[in-house]
């Protein structure tokens, strides 16, 4: 029988203050054993998606092999087991982000869908002509475009808080943009393009003083930081499974229960109803009224296994180790004269963006791939922040707890190879 937590592939355990056993962790990720272009794979594209531990792969396989059935409403054994496994993950997610109750957790396809859900339910019902939505320059497209669409639908106005040359939100400028017309503030927890960690407590407190609701895009934060939505007092929080070592096609939306109760459904269909006639439909209780149709059951179970794995290691220990990696990488690349780092905030997570003088980032990415190193090049679905630095693209290395200092040294050596190729 499938469960979201399985001891057969338990993560390496250690005392809270002990160093990570990185080599043991790496053995849990089968993809890291391969070679690319004759070199051991160095995977430094974790901000785009993370790799999956064997425990996640096994959880998904066991669901399909042993418990595959549609959830809810079924009375046969397979359906009951699948439903139990699925709903246990809701509790796992609740605890992972510090929500008050599991009913505040809505499963969606992605963080992007979670943001669109809020824009088209809460936004369409609460925002009107002349109201304002406030975002920041460093947002991912998924936290820009849905609000632009909502503004076109309602006549609301989109405002943008600026950042400084280090990639940090200019807090006093943000505060000046807040007013009684501000209805929603939508802000990233960690910038995917820069690695900047935003001062969420201050951002949220200032917004609430003006009566605005706050949505936090936590896609980049969930793998790297301990999250407590109650302590933050955010109204909405979203993240994606695939960034936190789970499968693709699953996301999480957290919303305060009173807001979920008031919001209209996002989609109509099966599961989100209590009763249907040709005259009217009565909607299901939260969170189910926002989960129309058959969900990604296997994906949710895989997410549960991923969160159990991360919890077994400990996010505090993960954050400390990744900070060491980021510090090492920052010094290693900054030592190369032709390399310029983009985004040098005082508080950063495991993202390092850079450009090489006279060489297009795509060429950089192609050469380092020949050395078996995977990095991301382009605008990273964050064109406005790349524009802010007068660029069209950057190269980006992003780290996870299975990366090593030796892999960063390999990246630095590959960058010198780039310079040789284009000399």
């Amino acid at each position: 029988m499938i469960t979201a937590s399985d001891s057969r592939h338990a993560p390496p355990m250690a005392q809270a203050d002990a160093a990570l056993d990185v080599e043991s962790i790496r053995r849990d990720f089968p993809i890291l054993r391969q070679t690319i272009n004759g070199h051991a794979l160095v995977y430094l594209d974790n901000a785009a998606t993370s790799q999956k531990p064997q425990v996640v792969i096994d959880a998904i396989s066991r669901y399909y092999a042993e418990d595959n059935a549609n959830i809810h409403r079924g009375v046969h054994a397979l359906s009951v087991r699948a439903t139990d496994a699925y709903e246990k993950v809701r509790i796992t997610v609740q605890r992972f982000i510090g929500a008050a109750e599991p009913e505040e957790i809505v499963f969606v396809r992605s963080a992007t869908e979670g943001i669109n859900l809020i824009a088209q339910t809460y936004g369409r019902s609460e925002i009107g002509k002349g109201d304002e939505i406030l975002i920041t320059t460093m947002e991912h497209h998924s936290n820009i475009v849905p609000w632009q669409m909502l503004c076109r639908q309602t006549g609301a106005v989109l405002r943008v808080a600026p950042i400084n040359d280090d990639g940090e939100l200019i807090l006093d400028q943000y505060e000046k943009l807040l007013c009684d017309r501000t209805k929603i503030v939508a802000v990233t927890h960690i910038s995917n393009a820069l690695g900047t960690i935003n001062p969420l407590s201050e951002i949220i407190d200032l917004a609430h003083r003006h009566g605005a609701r706050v949505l936090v895009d936590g896609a980049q934060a969930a793998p790297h930081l301990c999250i407590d939505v109650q302590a933050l007092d955010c109204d909405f929080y979203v993240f994606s499974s695939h960034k936190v070592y789970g499968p693709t096609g699953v996301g999480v939306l957290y919303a305060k229960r009173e807001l979920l109760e008031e919001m209209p459904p996002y989609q109509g269909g099966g599961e989100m109803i209590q009763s249907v006639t040709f005259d009217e439909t009565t909607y299901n209780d939260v969170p189910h009224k926002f989960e129309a149709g058959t969900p990604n059951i296997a994906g949710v179970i895989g997410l549960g296994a991923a969160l159990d794995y991360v919890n077994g290691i400990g996010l505090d220990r993960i954050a400390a180790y990744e900070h060491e990696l980021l510090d090492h990488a920052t010094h290693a690349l900054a030592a190369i004269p032709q390399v310029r780092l983009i985004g040098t905030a005082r508080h950063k997570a495991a993202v390092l963006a850079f450009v090489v003088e006279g060489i297009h980032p795509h060429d950089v990415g192609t050469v380092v791939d020949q050395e078996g190193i995977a990095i991301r090049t382009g605008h990273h679905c964050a064109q406005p922040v790349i524009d802010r630095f007068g660029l069209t693209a950057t190269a980006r290395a992003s780290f996870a707890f299975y990366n090593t200092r030796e892999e960063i040294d390999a990246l630095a050596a590959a960058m010198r190879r780039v310079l040789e190729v284009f000399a």
Side-chain angles (χ1 to χ4, degrees):
M1 185 177 80
I2 186 89
T3 61
S5 177
D6 193 302
S7 61
R8 281 179 280 178
H9 292 283
M13 300 293 287
Q15 298 299 317
D17 58 350
L20 295 186
D21 184 353
V22 178
E23 288 308 311
S24 178
I25 289 171
R26 288 178 63 85
R27 288 193 291 271
D28 291 337
F29 291 80
I31 201 169
L32 299 181
R33 300 168 196 159
Q34 68 180 284
T35 58
I36 301 291
N37 296 322
H39 300 272
L41 169 63
V42 175
Y43 186 78
L44 301 177
D45 194 20
N46 296 284
T49 197
S50 62
Q51 298 303 337
K52 317 309 172 194
Q54 190 66 50
V55 65
V56 170
I57 298 167
D58 289 347
I60 295 169
S61 296
R62 285 195 303 276
Y63 164 73
Y64 281 123
E66 301 174 12
D67 291 317
N68 181 45
N70 214 327
I71 59 171
H72 304 133
R73 302 177 307 283
V75 296
H76 62 81
L78 294 184
S79 179
V80 170
R81 294 199 318 237
T83 299
D84 182 61
Y86 181 91
E87 290 299 336
K88 281 182 178 177
V89 179
R90 205 183 300 274
I91 297 171
T92 298
V93 173
Q94 173 213 347
R95 293 171 178 167
F96 187 77
I97 64 171
E101 52 187 305
E103 289 77 15
E104 294 179 322
I105 304 303
V106 178
F107 292 122
V108 289
R109 291 185 302 113
S110 58
T112 298
E113 185 174 55
I115 297 170
N116 277 275
L117 188 157
I118 295 304
Q120 293 302 312
T121 56
Y122 181 84
R124 287 288 292 271
S125 60
E126 298 293 332
I127 291 176
K129 186 175 182 179
D131 289 336
E132 296 185 0
I133 300 164
L134 180 55
I135 62 174
T136 79
T137 301
M138 68 180 81
E139 302 306 317
H140 189 281
H141 294 165
S142 62
N143 206 22
I144 300 172
V145 179
W147 306 116
Q148 292 175 329
M149 295 168 66
L150 180 62
C151 288
R152 286 196 295 269
Q153 292 163 343
T154 63
V157 178
L158 188 67
R159 303 292 186 194
V160 183
I163 61 174
N164 62 25
D165 290 341
D166 292 321
E168 299 167 321
L169 179 66
I170 304 174
L171 205 58
D172 60 346
Q173 293 297 313
Y174 161 77
E175 185 174 8
K176 288 177 182 178
L177 286 167
L178 289 166
C179 64
D180 293 341
R181 295 186 301 278
T182 308
K183 301 303 179 185
I184 292 181
V185 171
V187 61
T188 186
H189 197 159
I190 296 176
S191 165
N192 76 302
L194 305 174
T196 303
I197 302 174
N198 271 318
L200 281 190
S201 294
E202 295 171 86
I203 290 169
I204 294 167
D205 181 60
L206 287 168
H208 284 171
R209 290 183 199 176
H210 289 83
R213 299 293 186 183
V214 180
L215 178 144
V216 178
D217 174 3
Q220 295 297 328
H224 303 298
L225 300 177
C226 294
I227 299 165
D228 187 333
V229 293
Q230 290 189 81
L232 289 171
D233 196 29
C234 57
D235 300 288
F236 311 103
Y237 196 102
V238 299
F239 70 92
S240 291
S241 164
H242 74 99
K243 300 286 176 68
V244 66
Y245 312 104
T248 56
V250 175
V252 169
L253 164 65
Y254 156 81
K256 292 178 178 177
R257 179 157 188 167
E258 62 269 23
L259 297 177
L260 288 176
E261 297 283 5
E262 295 170 1
M263 287 159 44
Y266 179 49
Q267 295 176 321
E271 179 56 29
M272 52 77 65
I273 57 88
Q274 286 185 338
S275 66
V276 177
T277 70
F278 288 119
D279 294 321
E280 66 175 338
T281 293
T282 303
Y283 302 130
N284 207 342
D285 297 330
V286 300
H288 304 294
K289 78 172 182 180
F290 297 103
E291 295 180 2
T294 298
N296 185 349
I297 303 166
V300 167
I301 289 169
L303 169 61
L307 297 184
D308 285 344
Y309 184 88
V310 169
N311 284 332
I313 296 170
L315 272 165
D316 286 338
R317 295 172 63 227
I318 289 170
Y321 177 70
E322 290 176 343
H323 180 76
E324 292 177 7
L325 290 179
L326 178 63
D327 187 62
H328 184 65
T330 300
H331 285 89
L333 292 192
I336 303 172
Q338 294 92 330
V339 172
R340 176 164 66 98
L341 303 182
I342 306 299
T344 53
R346 287 167 293 174
H347 301 289
K348 286 190 62 174
V351 171
L352 193 64
F354 59 94
V355 292
V356 182
E357 182 180 345
I359 305 174
H360 195 281
H362 291 172
D363 293 327
V364 173
T366 299
V367 173
V368 300
D369 179 65
Q370 294 170 2
E371 304 294 317
I373 301 171
I375 63 172
R376 182 67 46 165
T377 60
H379 55 61
H380 316 297
C381 294
Q383 284 182 277
V385 72
I386 302 299
D387 291 344
R388 161 64 178 78
F389 288 93
L391 302 168
T392 58
T394 66
R396 182 188 70 189
S398 49
F399 314 112
F401 55 69
Y402 45 62
N403 290 128
T404 66
R405 292 170 67 96
E406 290 76 17
E407 290 182 318
I408 291 167
D409 292 341
L411 173 64
M415 294 308 303
R416 293 185 173 87
R417 172 66 178 153
V418 170
L419 297 175
E420 291 173 4
V421 169
F422 289 96

